[in-house]
Amino acid sequence: MTKIKTGLVAVVMLMSNLVFAQSVQEGKKFLYYERYQSAIDALEKALASKPGDPEAIYWLAQAYRENGDVPKATETLRKGMEGANGSNPLLLAGMGQMELAEGKTNDARQRFETAISLTKGKDINVLNAIGKANLEKSGDAAYAIEKLNQATLIKGFKEPDVYINLGDAYRKNSDGGGAVSSYQKAVALDPKYAEGEYKVGKVYLTQGSDQKDIFLQHFNKAVEIDPSYAPAYYDLYTYYFSRDVYKSKSFFEKYRAVADKGPALDYEEATLQFASGDFQTAITKADELLAKQGETADPRLYRLKGYSYDKLNDSVNAIKNLEIFFSKAKEGQIIPENYVTMAMLSAKFPDKQAQVDEFFNKAITSDTAQANKIDYVRKASDFFKKVGNQPKAAEWMSKVLVVNPNPGKVDIYNAGFENFKAQNYATADSIFKMYSDKYPNEVYGYYWKMRSLMLIDSTMEKGLAVPDAEKFISIAETDKVKNKSTLITAYGYLAGYNANIKKDFPKAIEYLDKIIEIDPTNPDAPKNKEILQKANKGAAQSGSAPKTSPGQSQPKSGSVNQ
């Protein structure tokens, strides 16, 4: 009888362990699909069935963290590490992650090193957890890469998730090539691992819309190999949101079928009204959800209302709702473009002018893609040009040269020209010097350096613009028709400089003849030439070069507005 009872107990325990293992695996699977509430439910059930289990504690904390609740994740780990679990390596790695989320980098590193020491650096799961932990904002990407690569060398390694975290670490370290390679290795290890295809698409997505064929291919490939992979459906839905409302709705329906139900999904459904252009209905739907769901409502509903009011030209309610959104938004819900919208709205209110620069700067610092940073700087400059604030337009256009380590000719030219228009002539001169140094065979750098220095040295006494004028002419004369007006400005300047400063009348006359050659109808050049010819004749007769009197006509250097 005792033997039978013992056997029954063993069977019950075996079944209990099986249920527990299934719950943990189910929770991890939900995390993979980014179904965080379902993951929490499954892992809470697993932990309830086997209290104190390190794996269940770690993954439940991960579910809370992914759902944006760092305090709850930390508390789960703290309680789980009481007693015998105090030095569990996996939990040490998990707690280190939460400390990184709170900016406690030294404490976190100590926990990681302890976990590695306890496992002698040979536990794949622990190394993977440490690598993942360092994906946090204050984490060390290089350290993550080191530990994750170490995990892949351990005998028996076959975890595609390690390659995913490795790819994320490379992305954090601004190494797109390393990221793509790692994600591809995850798929090579498991051809059904949709996250690998999806993450490759995410890399190309950050490189701008000109890479759309590539990132859309990978997003579609992800749902092809795993029709339940919600994140890829979500990105396809959001990509088409402002481009093709019908496609967007189609992908949303597929996303809704595999996503967790709740406030977040309700918010996404409400945004489709916005995509359809029915802004008033979007506001009404958002108000209904806010009233019904209260504190559990998705804060992004306020953003939806703000954008909808903006489309309806109601700036007062637009900025009011966006301010509420910024105050309530959860981690990851604010995107850089939201700051740009707030900057432009703030400019409409006299008491919010100081926020304009603040929000444009937040957009730049919060975006990881360099192309997007450059785009925001350009948007800021264009915005200030439209509102007639030329000094701010110049200031922002100059920032392109800081944000972009290798600016092209258009950005350098625009930065220089905006500063010229803002009468920042010294800055314009230095920027156009950058242009002429980088593109020495083009006329623009020399011409606008000349123009800037003409205004800095307005009396021509120092002759600051002479070298650039001469260099400009040497290039521009290869096409006198195309460069006619700018050549007249340069010829005029050098004629004036040689006549009034150097008293070299023959040289000045040469430049006036060049003006007459390309512009026979020029009203000033012949008159000035006649004056100089008389002055030169008189100088020859007297044996000295006479100084022009204050009232005497002088050669014109050309209008600075040419």
Side-chain angles (χ1 to χ4, degrees):
M1 191 68 179
T2 303
K3 289 182 180 181
I4 294 175
K5 286 183 179 180
T6 303
L8 286 173
V9 170
V11 170
V12 169
M13 288 181 64
L14 180 63
M15 292 180 65
S16 176
N17 287 335
L18 183 60
V19 170
F20 167 80
Q22 288 175 336
S23 296
V24 170
Q25 287 304 115
E26 187 178 37
K28 290 167 67 175
K29 188 175 181 180
F30 282 132
L31 276 172
Y32 170 77
Y33 287 123
E34 296 186 8
R35 296 180 59 177
Y36 302 130
Q37 189 55 54
S38 291
I40 289 169
D41 293 342
L43 291 162
E44 284 180 339
K45 178 181 177 182
L47 189 57
S49 70
K50 195 174 182 180
D53 183 83
E55 187 180 16
I57 294 167
Y58 172 80
W59 286 108
L60 179 57
Q62 289 299 304
Y64 286 135
R65 174 68 188 98
E66 295 292 348
N67 205 38
D69 195 340
V70 173
K72 201 161 187 178
T74 303
E75 181 60 15
T76 299
L77 287 163
R78 188 192 66 76
K79 285 185 176 180
M81 295 177 74
E82 292 175 352
N85 280 339
S87 59
N88 181 274
L90 185 61
L91 299 185
L92 285 169
M95 185 59 84
Q97 178 180 354
M98 302 314 147
E99 287 170 338
L100 283 179
E102 296 170 357
K104 300 175 182 177
T105 54
N106 292 333
D107 293 343
R109 179 60 67 91
Q110 193 171 25
R111 290 190 190 273
F112 299 146
E113 290 300 317
T114 301
I116 292 169
S117 177
L118 288 170
T119 57
K120 298 181 180 180
K122 295 183 178 181
D123 189 311
I124 294 172
N125 291 329
V126 170
L127 291 171
N128 191 31
I130 291 171
K132 179 178 174 61
N134 278 276
L135 297 176
E136 295 288 341
K137 187 175 182 179
S138 60
D140 184 338
Y143 184 70
I145 291 168
E146 177 190 336
K147 301 309 172 188
L148 290 165
N149 273 318
Q150 185 177 333
T152 66
L153 301 177
I154 295 173
K155 185 178 180 180
F157 171 78
K158 55 180 179 179
E159 298 294 332
D161 183 51
V162 173
Y163 280 126
I164 296 297
N165 289 329
L166 181 57
D168 290 348
Y170 278 121
R171 280 190 70 185
K172 180 179 171 68
N173 210 35
S174 301
D175 182 352
V180 169
S181 176
S182 297
Y183 298 144
Q184 290 173 334
K185 287 178 181 178
V187 179
L189 204 58
D190 180 355
K192 293 294 184 181
Y193 212 75
E195 188 174 6
E197 289 287 349
Y198 170 68
K199 288 291 183 73
V200 171
K202 293 290 277 187
V203 172
Y204 285 101
L205 178 64
T206 63
Q207 295 178 5
S209 58
D210 57 333
Q211 300 293 324
K212 67 176 183 178
D213 290 340
I214 299 176
F215 64 71
L216 290 176
Q217 174 189 342
H218 286 286
F219 290 161
N220 281 300
K221 181 66 175 179
V223 294
E224 177 187 326
I225 62 179
D226 186 350
S228 296
Y229 195 70
Y233 285 127
Y234 182 83
D235 274 68
L236 287 163
Y237 142 65
T238 56
Y239 173 76
Y240 287 109
F241 186 83
S242 59
R243 296 172 175 85
D244 187 331
V245 67
Y246 299 106
K247 276 191 175 182
S248 182
K249 284 183 176 179
S250 173
F251 282 115
F252 176 76
E253 291 302 323
K254 293 175 181 178
Y255 170 71
R256 179 166 57 181
V258 294
D260 273 352
K261 306 300 182 285
L265 189 64
D266 292 335
Y267 158 77
E268 299 294 352
E269 190 163 14
T271 63
L272 288 172
Q273 302 299 326
F274 181 91
S276 301
D278 192 349
F279 308 121
Q280 189 57 58
T281 300
I283 293 169
T284 301
K285 180 68 174 175
D287 282 333
E288 289 174 357
L289 291 170
L290 287 167
K292 178 182 177 181
Q293 297 171 349
E295 290 301 314
T296 64
D298 195 309
R300 292 176 295 174
L301 290 168
Y302 291 104
R303 181 176 65 191
L304 174 61
K305 289 180 65 180
Y307 273 58
S308 298
Y309 277 121
D310 187 35
K311 288 291 187 180
L312 295 171
N313 297 315
D314 184 347
S315 300
V316 173
N317 277 308
I319 201 165
K320 175 184 175 183
N321 278 278
L322 283 173
E323 285 174 341
I324 296 173
F325 164 65
F326 280 119
S327 70
K328 291 179 174 288
K330 297 178 182 177
E331 183 181 2
Q333 289 188 330
I334 299 175
I335 60 174
E337 189 64 38
N338 299 156
Y339 293 122
V340 174
T341 301
M342 275 296 280
M344 294 182 175
L345 281 170
S346 297
K348 298 179 181 181
F349 299 88
D351 62 328
K352 298 182 185 296
Q353 295 296 309
Q355 296 181 176
V356 178
D357 276 319
E358 176 189 344
F359 282 118
F360 274 126
N361 277 313
K362 283 184 176 180
I364 293 164
T365 56
S366 63
D367 204 309
T368 57
Q370 187 186 77
N372 292 341
K373 290 176 183 288
I374 295 168
D375 183 53
Y376 299 140
V377 174
R378 290 174 182 153
K379 282 183 177 179
S381 181
D382 288 343
F383 171 77
F384 282 113
K385 277 196 288 185
K386 287 177 182 177
V387 299
N389 191 335
Q390 187 58 46
K392 293 298 290 186
E395 176 188 329
W396 274 98
M397 199 64 220
S398 298
K399 287 184 180 181
V400 172
L401 310 183
V402 178
V403 173
N404 187 357
N406 187 30
K409 63 177 67 176
V410 174
D411 282 336
I412 299 174
Y413 177 87
N414 287 340
F417 189 61
E418 294 304 328
N419 275 282
F420 183 86
K421 288 196 296 181
Q423 300 181 17
N424 300 329
Y425 301 124
T427 302
D429 171 54
S430 65
I431 293 174
F432 282 117
K433 183 180 186 305
M434 183 190 304
Y435 190 104
S436 60
D437 287 345
K438 196 169 185 177
Y439 306 102
N441 298 319
E442 295 192 12
V443 297
Y444 303 107
Y446 302 110
Y447 177 74
W448 287 104
K449 267 183 97 302
M450 175 192 75
R451 290 283 299 274
S452 300
L453 292 169
M454 283 167 62
L455 290 163
I456 291 173
D457 180 24
S458 58
T459 64
M460 297 188 288
E461 290 180 7
K462 298 179 181 179
L464 296 182
V466 171
D468 290 298
E470 292 175 340
K471 183 64 178 178
F472 164 74
I473 289 170
S474 70
I475 301 173
E477 283 186 334
T478 59
D479 191 340
K480 292 181 179 180
V481 175
K482 177 183 176 181
N483 299 312
K484 175 182 173 180
S485 65
T486 50
L487 278 168
I488 289 172
T489 300
Y491 291 149
Y493 168 76
L494 290 174
Y497 174 73
N498 280 283
N500 300 316
I501 305 302
K502 294 190 72 177
K503 307 304 179 185
D504 186 343
F505 299 145
K507 189 70 174 176
I509 291 170
E510 284 183 27
Y511 284 114
L512 292 172
D513 283 337
K514 286 176 178 286
I515 293 176
I516 295 169
E517 177 193 345
I518 62 174
D519 185 14
T521 62
N522 187 284
D524 296 316
K527 294 177 183 178
N528 288 324
K529 178 180 178 181
E530 184 179 349
I531 292 169
L532 290 178
Q533 284 174 329
K534 289 178 180 179
N536 190 50
K537 184 177 180 181
Q541 291 173 346
S542 65
S544 62
K547 294 183 178 180
T548 54
S549 64
Q552 186 176 351
S553 296
Q554 298 178 357
K556 297 180 180 180
S557 62
S559 168
V560 296
N561 293 319
Q562 286 182 319

Short mmCIF file of all heavy atoms in Angstrom, two decimals, residues 262-309:
data_model
loop_
_atom_site.label_atom_id
_atom_site.label_comp_id
_atom_site.label_asym_id
_atom_site.label_seq_id
_atom_site.Cartn_x
_atom_site.Cartn_y
_atom_site.Cartn_z
N GLY A 262 -6.56 44.28 -24.86
CA GLY A 262 -6.37 45.21 -23.75
C GLY A 262 -6.27 46.64 -24.23
O GLY A 262 -6.46 46.93 -25.42
N PRO A 263 -5.96 47.57 -23.32
CA PRO A 263 -5.91 49.00 -23.66
C PRO A 263 -4.99 49.35 -24.82
O PRO A 263 -5.30 50.22 -25.64
CB PRO A 263 -5.45 49.65 -22.36
CG PRO A 263 -5.91 48.72 -21.30
CD PRO A 263 -5.78 47.35 -21.88
N ALA A 264 -3.84 48.67 -24.90
CA ALA A 264 -2.89 48.99 -25.98
C ALA A 264 -3.48 48.67 -27.34
O ALA A 264 -3.34 49.44 -28.29
CB ALA A 264 -1.59 48.21 -25.77
N LEU A 265 -4.16 47.52 -27.45
CA LEU A 265 -4.79 47.15 -28.71
C LEU A 265 -5.96 48.09 -29.03
O LEU A 265 -6.17 48.46 -30.18
CB LEU A 265 -5.27 45.70 -28.65
CG LEU A 265 -5.75 45.10 -29.98
CD1 LEU A 265 -4.60 45.03 -30.98
CD2 LEU A 265 -6.33 43.71 -29.77
N ASP A 266 -6.70 48.48 -27.99
CA ASP A 266 -7.81 49.42 -28.19
C ASP A 266 -7.29 50.74 -28.75
O ASP A 266 -7.92 51.36 -29.62
CB ASP A 266 -8.54 49.68 -26.87
CG ASP A 266 -9.28 48.45 -26.37
OD1 ASP A 266 -9.64 47.59 -27.20
OD2 ASP A 266 -9.51 48.34 -25.15
N TYR A 267 -6.14 51.17 -28.25
CA TYR A 267 -5.55 52.41 -28.75
C TYR A 267 -5.22 52.28 -30.23
O TYR A 267 -5.53 53.19 -31.03
CB TYR A 267 -4.27 52.74 -27.97
CG TYR A 267 -3.35 53.66 -28.73
CD1 TYR A 267 -3.61 55.02 -28.83
CD2 TYR A 267 -2.22 53.14 -29.39
CE1 TYR A 267 -2.78 55.85 -29.56
CE2 TYR A 267 -1.39 53.97 -30.12
CZ TYR A 267 -1.67 55.32 -30.20
OH TYR A 267 -0.85 56.14 -30.94
N GLU A 268 -4.59 51.18 -30.61
CA GLU A 268 -4.21 51.00 -32.01
C GLU A 268 -5.43 51.03 -32.91
O GLU A 268 -5.41 51.60 -34.00
CB GLU A 268 -3.45 49.68 -32.20
CG GLU A 268 -2.15 49.57 -31.42
CD GLU A 268 -1.07 50.53 -31.87
OE1 GLU A 268 -1.26 51.21 -32.90
OE2 GLU A 268 -0.04 50.62 -31.19
N GLU A 269 -6.52 50.41 -32.45
CA GLU A 269 -7.75 50.39 -33.25
C GLU A 269 -8.29 51.80 -33.42
O GLU A 269 -8.77 52.18 -34.49
CB GLU A 269 -8.78 49.48 -32.60
CG GLU A 269 -9.99 49.21 -33.48
CD GLU A 269 -10.80 48.02 -33.00
OE1 GLU A 269 -10.59 47.57 -31.86
OE2 GLU A 269 -11.64 47.54 -33.78
N ALA A 270 -8.21 52.61 -32.36
CA ALA A 270 -8.69 53.98 -32.43
C ALA A 270 -7.88 54.81 -33.42
O ALA A 270 -8.41 55.71 -34.08
CB ALA A 270 -8.66 54.62 -31.05
N THR A 271 -6.57 54.51 -33.54
CA THR A 271 -5.72 55.31 -34.44
C THR A 271 -6.10 55.12 -35.91
O THR A 271 -5.79 55.99 -36.74
CB THR A 271 -4.23 54.94 -34.28
OG1 THR A 271 -4.03 53.57 -34.65
CG2 THR A 271 -3.76 55.18 -32.86
N LEU A 272 -6.76 54.03 -36.22
CA LEU A 272 -7.16 53.80 -37.61
C LEU A 272 -8.16 54.86 -38.07
O LEU A 272 -8.25 55.15 -39.27
CB LEU A 272 -7.72 52.40 -37.78
CG LEU A 272 -6.68 51.27 -37.71
CD1 LEU A 272 -7.37 49.91 -37.71
CD2 LEU A 272 -5.71 51.36 -38.88
N GLN A 273 -8.92 55.41 -37.14
CA GLN A 273 -9.82 56.50 -37.50
C GLN A 273 -9.01 57.71 -37.96
O GLN A 273 -9.38 58.40 -38.91
CB GLN A 273 -10.69 56.88 -36.28
CG GLN A 273 -11.52 55.75 -35.71
CD GLN A 273 -12.52 55.20 -36.71
OE1 GLN A 273 -13.07 55.93 -37.54
NE2 GLN A 273 -12.78 53.90 -36.64
N PHE A 274 -7.89 57.94 -37.29
CA PHE A 274 -7.00 59.03 -37.68
C PHE A 274 -6.42 58.77 -39.06
O PHE A 274 -6.38 59.66 -39.91
CB PHE A 274 -5.87 59.16 -36.65
CG PHE A 274 -4.89 60.26 -36.93
CD1 PHE A 274 -5.07 61.52 -36.41
CD2 PHE A 274 -3.77 60.03 -37.73
CE1 PHE A 274 -4.16 62.55 -36.66
CE2 PHE A 274 -2.85 61.04 -37.99
CZ PHE A 274 -3.05 62.30 -37.46
N ALA A 275 -5.97 57.54 -39.30
CA ALA A 275 -5.38 57.17 -40.59
C ALA A 275 -6.38 57.35 -41.73
O ALA A 275 -6.01 57.69 -42.85
CB ALA A 275 -4.88 55.74 -40.56
N SER A 276 -7.66 57.15 -41.40
CA SER A 276 -8.72 57.29 -42.41
C SER A 276 -9.09 58.75 -42.64
O SER A 276 -9.90 59.03 -43.53
CB SER A 276 -9.96 56.50 -41.98
OG SER A 276 -9.65 55.13 -41.82
N GLY A 277 -8.53 59.65 -41.85
CA GLY A 277 -8.84 61.07 -42.00
C GLY A 277 -10.06 61.52 -41.22
O GLY A 277 -10.49 62.67 -41.35
N ASP A 278 -10.63 60.62 -40.40
CA ASP A 278 -11.81 60.97 -39.61
C ASP A 278 -11.33 61.41 -38.22
O ASP A 278 -11.43 60.67 -37.24
CB ASP A 278 -12.75 59.77 -39.51
CG ASP A 278 -14.12 60.13 -38.96
OD1 ASP A 278 -14.26 61.27 -38.45
OD2 ASP A 278 -15.03 59.29 -39.02
N PHE A 279 -10.83 62.62 -38.14
CA PHE A 279 -10.17 63.09 -36.92
C PHE A 279 -11.14 63.29 -35.75
O PHE A 279 -10.80 63.02 -34.60
CB PHE A 279 -9.40 64.37 -37.22
CG PHE A 279 -8.49 64.25 -38.40
CD1 PHE A 279 -8.62 65.07 -39.51
CD2 PHE A 279 -7.49 63.27 -38.42
CE1 PHE A 279 -7.79 64.94 -40.61
CE2 PHE A 279 -6.65 63.12 -39.52
CZ PHE A 279 -6.80 63.96 -40.61
N GLN A 280 -12.33 63.76 -36.05
CA GLN A 280 -13.31 63.95 -34.98
C GLN A 280 -13.73 62.62 -34.36
O GLN A 280 -13.87 62.50 -33.14
CB GLN A 280 -14.54 64.70 -35.50
CG GLN A 280 -15.50 65.14 -34.40
CD GLN A 280 -14.84 66.01 -33.35
OE1 GLN A 280 -14.29 67.06 -33.66
NE2 GLN A 280 -14.86 65.57 -32.10
N THR A 281 -13.90 61.60 -35.21
CA THR A 281 -14.25 60.27 -34.69
C THR A 281 -13.10 59.70 -33.86
O THR A 281 -13.32 59.02 -32.86
CB THR A 281 -14.61 59.31 -35.84
OG1 THR A 281 -15.72 59.85 -36.56
CG2 THR A 281 -14.98 57.93 -35.31
N ALA A 282 -11.87 59.97 -34.28
CA ALA A 282 -10.71 59.51 -33.52
C ALA A 282 -10.73 60.12 -32.12
O ALA A 282 -10.44 59.44 -31.12
CB ALA A 282 -9.42 59.89 -34.24
N ILE A 283 -11.07 61.40 -32.02
CA ILE A 283 -11.16 62.08 -30.72
C ILE A 283 -12.26 61.47 -29.88
O ILE A 283 -12.08 61.17 -28.69
CB ILE A 283 -11.41 63.59 -30.92
CG1 ILE A 283 -10.18 64.24 -31.57
CG2 ILE A 283 -11.73 64.27 -29.58
CD1 ILE A 283 -10.43 65.67 -32.05
N THR A 284 -13.41 61.24 -30.50
CA THR A 284 -14.56 60.66 -29.78
C THR A 284 -14.22 59.27 -29.26
O THR A 284 -14.53 58.92 -28.11
CB THR A 284 -15.79 60.58 -30.72
OG1 THR A 284 -16.10 61.90 -31.18
CG2 THR A 284 -16.98 59.99 -29.99
N LYS A 285 -13.58 58.45 -30.11
CA LYS A 285 -13.20 57.08 -29.72
C LYS A 285 -12.20 57.12 -28.58
O LYS A 285 -12.30 56.34 -27.61
CB LYS A 285 -12.59 56.36 -30.93
CG LYS A 285 -12.14 54.94 -30.65
CD LYS A 285 -13.31 54.01 -30.39
CE LYS A 285 -12.85 52.57 -30.26
NZ LYS A 285 -13.96 51.66 -29.89
N ALA A 286 -11.25 58.04 -28.65
CA ALA A 286 -10.24 58.16 -27.59
C ALA A 286 -10.90 58.56 -26.28
O ALA A 286 -10.58 58.02 -25.21
CB ALA A 286 -9.19 59.18 -27.99
N ASP A 287 -11.83 59.50 -26.33
CA ASP A 287 -12.54 59.94 -25.11
C ASP A 287 -13.34 58.79 -24.49
O ASP A 287 -13.39 58.65 -23.26
CB ASP A 287 -13.46 61.12 -25.43
CG ASP A 287 -12.71 62.44 -25.54
OD1 ASP A 287 -11.65 62.56 -24.90
OD2 ASP A 287 -13.19 63.33 -26.26
N GLU A 288 -13.95 57.99 -25.34
CA GLU A 288 -14.73 56.84 -24.84
C GLU A 288 -13.83 55.86 -24.10
O GLU A 288 -14.18 55.37 -23.02
CB GLU A 288 -15.43 56.13 -26.01
CG GLU A 288 -16.58 56.92 -26.62
CD GLU A 288 -17.14 56.24 -27.87
OE1 GLU A 288 -16.57 55.19 -28.28
OE2 GLU A 288 -18.11 56.76 -28.45
N LEU A 289 -12.65 55.57 -24.68
CA LEU A 289 -11.73 54.63 -24.05
C LEU A 289 -11.15 55.20 -22.76
O LEU A 289 -10.99 54.47 -21.77
CB LEU A 289 -10.61 54.28 -25.02
CG LEU A 289 -11.02 53.44 -26.24
CD1 LEU A 289 -9.88 53.36 -27.25
CD2 LEU A 289 -11.42 52.03 -25.80
N LEU A 290 -10.84 56.48 -22.74
CA LEU A 290 -10.31 57.10 -21.53
C LEU A 290 -11.33 57.07 -20.41
O LEU A 290 -11.00 56.82 -19.24
CB LEU A 290 -9.88 58.54 -21.82
CG LEU A 290 -8.61 58.71 -22.65
CD1 LEU A 290 -8.47 60.14 -23.15
CD2 LEU A 290 -7.39 58.31 -21.83
N ALA A 291 -12.60 57.31 -20.76
CA ALA A 291 -13.66 57.29 -19.75
C ALA A 291 -13.91 55.88 -19.23
O ALA A 291 -14.12 55.66 -18.03
CB ALA A 291 -14.94 57.88 -20.35
N LYS A 292 -13.84 54.90 -20.11
CA LYS A 292 -14.14 53.52 -19.76
C LYS A 292 -12.99 52.86 -18.99
O LYS A 292 -13.21 52.14 -18.02
CB LYS A 292 -14.42 52.72 -21.04
CG LYS A 292 -14.70 51.24 -20.82
CD LYS A 292 -14.91 50.53 -22.15
CE LYS A 292 -15.13 49.04 -21.96
NZ LYS A 292 -15.32 48.35 -23.27
N GLN A 293 -11.76 53.13 -19.41
CA GLN A 293 -10.61 52.42 -18.85
C GLN A 293 -9.90 53.17 -17.73
O GLN A 293 -9.11 52.57 -16.99
CB GLN A 293 -9.62 52.10 -19.98
CG GLN A 293 -10.21 51.18 -21.04
CD GLN A 293 -9.33 51.02 -22.26
OE1 GLN A 293 -8.35 51.75 -22.43
NE2 GLN A 293 -9.67 50.08 -23.14
N GLY A 294 -10.16 54.44 -17.59
CA GLY A 294 -9.58 55.20 -16.49
C GLY A 294 -8.06 55.15 -16.47
O GLY A 294 -7.40 55.36 -17.49
N GLU A 295 -7.49 54.83 -15.32
CA GLU A 295 -6.03 54.82 -15.15
C GLU A 295 -5.34 53.72 -15.95
O GLU A 295 -4.13 53.77 -16.17
CB GLU A 295 -5.67 54.67 -13.67
CG GLU A 295 -5.98 55.90 -12.83
CD GLU A 295 -5.24 57.14 -13.33
OE1 GLU A 295 -4.02 57.03 -13.59
OE2 GLU A 295 -5.87 58.19 -13.46
N THR A 296 -6.11 52.70 -16.38
CA THR A 296 -5.50 51.62 -17.16
C THR A 296 -5.44 51.94 -18.65
O THR A 296 -4.85 51.20 -19.43
CB THR A 296 -6.28 50.31 -16.98
OG1 THR A 296 -7.60 50.46 -17.52
CG2 THR A 296 -6.36 49.92 -15.51
N ALA A 297 -6.05 53.06 -19.04
CA ALA A 297 -6.08 53.44 -20.46
C ALA A 297 -4.67 53.72 -20.96
O ALA A 297 -3.80 54.18 -20.22
CB ALA A 297 -6.96 54.66 -20.65
N ASP A 298 -4.46 53.48 -22.23
CA ASP A 298 -3.16 53.73 -22.84
C ASP A 298 -2.93 55.24 -22.96
O ASP A 298 -3.74 55.95 -23.57
CB ASP A 298 -3.12 53.09 -24.23
CG ASP A 298 -1.71 52.99 -24.79
OD1 ASP A 298 -1.00 54.02 -24.78
OD2 ASP A 298 -1.32 51.89 -25.24
N PRO A 299 -1.82 55.75 -22.39
CA PRO A 299 -1.54 57.20 -22.47
C PRO A 299 -1.47 57.73 -23.89
O PRO A 299 -1.67 58.93 -24.13
CB PRO A 299 -0.18 57.32 -21.77
CG PRO A 299 -0.10 56.14 -20.86
CD PRO A 299 -0.80 55.03 -21.60
N ARG A 300 -1.20 56.85 -24.84
CA ARG A 300 -1.09 57.30 -26.23
C ARG A 300 -2.41 57.82 -26.78
O ARG A 300 -2.44 58.49 -27.82
CB ARG A 300 -0.55 56.17 -27.11
CG ARG A 300 0.90 55.82 -26.81
CD ARG A 300 1.37 54.64 -27.63
NE ARG A 300 0.65 53.43 -27.27
CZ ARG A 300 0.78 52.26 -27.91
NH1 ARG A 300 1.62 52.18 -28.94
NH2 ARG A 300 0.12 51.19 -27.52
N LEU A 301 -3.51 57.55 -26.07
CA LEU A 301 -4.79 58.10 -26.49
C LEU A 301 -4.76 59.63 -26.46
O LEU A 301 -5.41 60.29 -27.27
CB LEU A 301 -5.92 57.57 -25.60
CG LEU A 301 -6.26 56.08 -25.78
CD1 LEU A 301 -7.16 55.60 -24.65
CD2 LEU A 301 -6.94 55.85 -27.14
N TYR A 302 -4.01 60.19 -25.51
CA TYR A 302 -3.87 61.65 -25.45
C TYR A 302 -3.08 62.15 -26.66
O TYR A 302 -3.36 63.23 -27.19
CB TYR A 302 -3.20 62.07 -24.15
CG TYR A 302 -4.06 61.86 -22.93
CD1 TYR A 302 -3.82 60.80 -22.06
CD2 TYR A 302 -5.13 62.71 -22.66
CE1 TYR A 302 -4.62 60.59 -20.94
CE2 TYR A 302 -5.94 62.51 -21.53
CZ TYR A 302 -5.67 61.45 -20.68
OH TYR A 302 -6.47 61.25 -19.58
N ARG A 303 -2.09 61.38 -27.08
CA ARG A 303 -1.34 61.76 -28.28
C ARG A 303 -2.25 61.72 -29.50
O ARG A 303 -2.20 62.61 -30.35
CB ARG A 303 -0.15 60.82 -28.49
CG ARG A 303 0.68 61.17 -29.72
CD ARG A 303 1.91 60.29 -29.84
NE ARG A 303 1.58 58.90 -30.07
CZ ARG A 303 2.45 57.90 -30.01
NH1 ARG A 303 3.70 58.14 -29.69
NH2 ARG A 303 2.07 56.66 -30.24
N LEU A 304 -3.08 60.69 -29.58
CA LEU A 304 -4.03 60.58 -30.68
C LEU A 304 -4.95 61.79 -30.71
O LEU A 304 -5.19 62.37 -31.79
CB LEU A 304 -4.84 59.28 -30.54
CG LEU A 304 -5.98 59.09 -31.53
CD1 LEU A 304 -5.43 59.05 -32.96
CD2 LEU A 304 -6.74 57.80 -31.21
N LYS A 305 -5.43 62.20 -29.55
CA LYS A 305 -6.30 63.38 -29.50
C LYS A 305 -5.52 64.63 -29.91
O LYS A 305 -6.04 65.46 -30.66
CB LYS A 305 -6.85 63.56 -28.08
CG LYS A 305 -7.89 62.52 -27.67
CD LYS A 305 -8.38 62.77 -26.25
CE LYS A 305 -9.12 64.08 -26.13
NZ LYS A 305 -9.61 64.34 -24.77
N GLY A 306 -4.28 64.74 -29.42
CA GLY A 306 -3.48 65.91 -29.76
C GLY A 306 -3.24 66.03 -31.26
O GLY A 306 -3.42 67.11 -31.85
N TYR A 307 -2.88 64.93 -31.90
CA TYR A 307 -2.64 64.95 -33.34
C TYR A 307 -3.94 65.21 -34.11
O TYR A 307 -3.92 65.90 -35.14
CB TYR A 307 -2.03 63.62 -33.78
CG TYR A 307 -0.52 63.58 -33.66
CD1 TYR A 307 0.11 63.79 -32.44
CD2 TYR A 307 0.29 63.32 -34.75
CE1 TYR A 307 1.48 63.76 -32.32
CE2 TYR A 307 1.66 63.28 -34.64
CZ TYR A 307 2.26 63.51 -33.42
OH TYR A 307 3.63 63.49 -33.31
N SER A 308 -5.03 64.67 -33.62
CA SER A 308 -6.32 64.89 -34.29
C SER A 308 -6.75 66.34 -34.19
O SER A 308 -7.21 66.94 -35.17
CB SER A 308 -7.39 63.97 -33.67
OG SER A 308 -7.05 62.60 -33.85
N TYR A 309 -6.61 66.93 -33.02
CA TYR A 309 -6.94 68.35 -32.85
C TYR A 309 -6.04 69.23 -33.74
O TYR A 309 -6.48 70.23 -34.30
CB TYR A 309 -6.80 68.78 -31.39
CG TYR A 309 -8.01 68.46 -30.55
CD1 TYR A 309 -7.91 67.63 -29.43
CD2 TYR A 309 -9.27 69.02 -30.85
CE1 TYR A 309 -9.03 67.35 -28.64
CE2 TYR A 309 -10.38 68.73 -30.07
CZ TYR A 309 -10.26 67.90 -28.97
OH TYR A 309 -11.36 67.63 -28.19
#
